[in-house]
């Protein structure tokens, strides 16, 4: 008899990735709960999204990071907690709020798996990150430390670059629509990065929650055909539009100098671009053959990736 599927609580379920996690959890047949704040007010878009979740079979739970008992009561209902609150400074950087969630999970004592809000660059690989962008990685490591000190079963998901943000603008900061005329290459445009569709990130995450191989491990989502340099991304776009773009470039010195003229939140994001696109931080380490096993998964969609398959890599720390 197949094992019963875990009951899943999504925290941050109305956000950019959170709403995809809710959809993926429901699609996989999990009893899915969505935590929402009681003070939604007149945010009609959020209310309508929550109601759409309910119509699809999700259960809505009211709770707040400011109300410890509400968090404890919410996590007592489920087996797995997935947090997708924002860690992006240009929106709201809320990573350390998860420390309150860690306390609630520890007190409840029933959660079989906690997946904190990570989903990007593995913070454990970013010891040498620059200021001010390193705050993102430092805060995520503080949450990891709290999880592990509390003895909470966990899985960390490193999904690399969200395709919607990086690919749409041809890897140029501040752009999410591709130009048909000109592109600025970051340096020589050759360091490889890893771009993953946000719906696939959600599906892989849900697929991992009941997999014993991922317990207390880090999951890297790294489809081989999605490992591309900025130049390769531009070449794909040029083939699609049948036109070669005019190209200029910005050196790392020019990039860093221009970055310092921006406000704090912009600097944080640009620092991440620097590490990804100039230093190649997503691909400058190896996952040993003895450490990983592939997760084969065919994504059936009306708009599938060009290779029609994706493979996640489980890195066993």
């Amino acid at each position: 008899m197949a094992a019963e599927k875990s009951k899943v609580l999504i925290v941050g379920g109305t956000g950019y990735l959170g709403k995809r996690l809710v959809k993926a959890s429901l699609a996989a047949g999990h009893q899915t709960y969505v935590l929402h704040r009681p003070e939604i007010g007149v945010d009609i878009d959020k209310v309508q999204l929550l109601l759409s979740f309910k119509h699809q079979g999700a259960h809505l739970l009211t709770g707040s990071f400011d109300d410890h008992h509400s968090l404890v009561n919410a996590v007592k209902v489920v087996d797995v907690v997935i947090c997708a609150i924002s860690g992006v400074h240009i929106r709201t950087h809320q990573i350390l709020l998860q420390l309150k969630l860690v306390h609630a999970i520890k007190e409840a004592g029933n959660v079989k798996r906690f997946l904190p809000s990570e989903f990007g660059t593995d913070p454990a690989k970013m010891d040498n990150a620059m200021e001010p962008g390193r705050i993102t990685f430092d805060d995520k490591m503080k949450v990891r430390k709290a999880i592990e000190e509390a003895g909470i079963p966990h899985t960390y998901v490193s999904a690399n670059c969200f395709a919607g943000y990086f690919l749409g603008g041809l890897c140029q900061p501040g752009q999410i629509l591709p130009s048909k005329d000109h592109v600025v290459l970051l340096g020589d445009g050759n360091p490889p990065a890893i771009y993953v569709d946000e719906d696939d990130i959600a599906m892989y995450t849900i697929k991992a929650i009941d997999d014993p191989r991922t317990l207390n491990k880090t999951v890297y989502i790294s489809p081989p055909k999605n490992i591309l340099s900025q130049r390769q991304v531009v070449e794909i776009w040029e083939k699609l539009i049948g036109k070669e773009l005019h190209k200029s470039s910005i050196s790392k010195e020019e990039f860093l100098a221009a970055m310092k003229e921006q406000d704090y939140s912009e600097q944080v994001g640009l620092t991440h671009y620097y590490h990804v696109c100039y230093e190649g931080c997503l691909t400058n380490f190896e996952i040993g053959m003895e450490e990983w096993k592939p997760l084969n998964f065919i994504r059936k969609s009306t708009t599938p990736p060009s290779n029609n398959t994706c493979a996640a890599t489980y890195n066993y720390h």
Side-chain angles (χ1 to χ4, degrees):
M1 181 179 295
E4 184 177 351
K5 290 181 178 290
S6 293
K7 298 177 183 177
V8 180
L9 173 66
I10 310 292
V11 180
T14 58
Y16 182 69
L17 183 62
K19 61 188 178 184
R20 292 171 167 83
L21 288 165
V22 173
K23 178 182 176 181
S25 181
L26 290 168
H30 293 276
Q31 288 191 48
T32 304
Y33 297 77
V34 182
L35 188 73
H36 68 89
R37 296 190 301 271
E39 63 276 10
I40 292 178
V42 293
D43 190 338
I44 189 65
D45 289 335
K46 188 168 292 186
V47 169
Q48 289 180 340
L49 183 57
L50 288 169
L51 289 175
S52 74
F53 292 156
K54 186 174 182 179
H55 292 156
Q56 294 171 57
H59 306 276
L60 305 184
L61 297 177
T62 303
S64 169
F65 284 103
D66 296 324
D67 183 348
H68 175 72
H69 292 296
S70 72
L71 291 181
V72 173
N73 290 337
V75 301
K76 279 183 176 179
V77 176
V78 300
D79 308 303
V80 173
V81 177
I82 305 175
C83 189
I85 61 175
S86 175
V88 180
H89 279 76
I90 57 173
R91 292 178 175 171
T92 52
H93 182 71
Q94 301 175 323
I95 293 300
L96 291 183
L97 280 179
Q98 293 178 106
L99 295 176
K100 297 182 178 181
L101 188 54
V102 170
H103 293 320
I105 292 171
K106 182 179 180 181
E107 181 175 327
N110 62 291
V111 171
K112 298 176 182 178
R113 192 85 65 103
F114 177 41
L115 287 73
S117 184
E118 295 212 357
F119 304 109
T121 306
D122 181 359
K125 303 294 185 183
M126 299 303 293
D127 289 343
N128 297 320
M130 295 189 308
E131 297 287 358
R134 70 169 297 122
I135 187 174
T136 303
F137 310 119
D138 288 346
D139 284 356
K140 289 180 178 181
M141 290 304 293
K142 289 176 184 176
V143 174
R144 286 191 181 191
K145 183 173 185 290
I147 291 169
E148 291 164 22
E149 287 182 347
I152 296 171
H154 57 271
T155 297
Y156 306 135
V157 177
S158 175
N160 299 293
C161 296
F162 285 15
Y165 278 94
F166 278 81
L167 291 184
L170 304 178
C171 309
Q172 298 174 109
Q175 298 188 37
I176 57 173
L177 292 175
S179 171
K180 293 184 179 181
D181 301 303
H182 175 253
V183 64
V184 178
L185 297 175
L186 304 181
D188 60 15
N190 289 326
I194 306 167
Y195 312 99
V196 185
D197 180 88
E198 290 85 342
D199 288 334
D200 286 341
I201 293 171
M203 284 187 279
Y204 283 131
T205 299
I206 297 302
K207 196 171 184 68
I209 61 176
D210 284 332
D211 190 329
R213 296 175 299 171
T214 67
L215 181 62
N216 297 333
K217 311 298 181 189
T218 297
V219 175
Y220 290 104
I221 304 178
S222 181
K225 291 191 177 182
N226 292 35
I227 303 174
L228 301 165
S229 68
Q230 185 187 12
R231 281 190 179 274
Q232 289 174 311
V233 169
V234 172
E235 288 171 1
I236 291 171
W237 176 240
E238 288 175 330
K239 289 179 181 179
L240 288 171
I241 64 173
K243 177 184 177 182
E244 184 174 346
L245 302 184
H246 173 69
K247 300 176 184 66
S248 59
S249 65
I250 179 171
S251 69
K252 65 179 181 180
E253 293 80 12
E254 293 170 324
F255 184 90
L256 293 173
M259 183 183 78
K260 292 178 181 179
E261 298 175 0
Q262 305 299 315
D263 63 28
Y264 177 81
S265 62
E266 294 287 348
Q267 287 188 46
V268 171
L270 290 170
T271 303
H272 298 168
Y273 263 92
Y274 176 81
H275 289 303
V276 170
C277 297
Y278 285 93
E279 295 183 340
C281 68
L282 301 180
T283 57
N284 63 2
F285 59 92
E286 295 291 334
I287 300 173
M289 291 297 291
E290 73 283 357
E291 296 180 302
W292 69 270
K293 295 179 182 179
L295 170 63
N296 296 318
F297 173 59
I298 299 176
R299 177 174 184 249
K300 296 180 180 179
S301 170
T302 55
T303 56
S306 58
N307 61 333
N308 292 323
T309 63
C310 294
T313 297
Y314 288 164
N315 183 32
Y316 285 18
H317 286 312

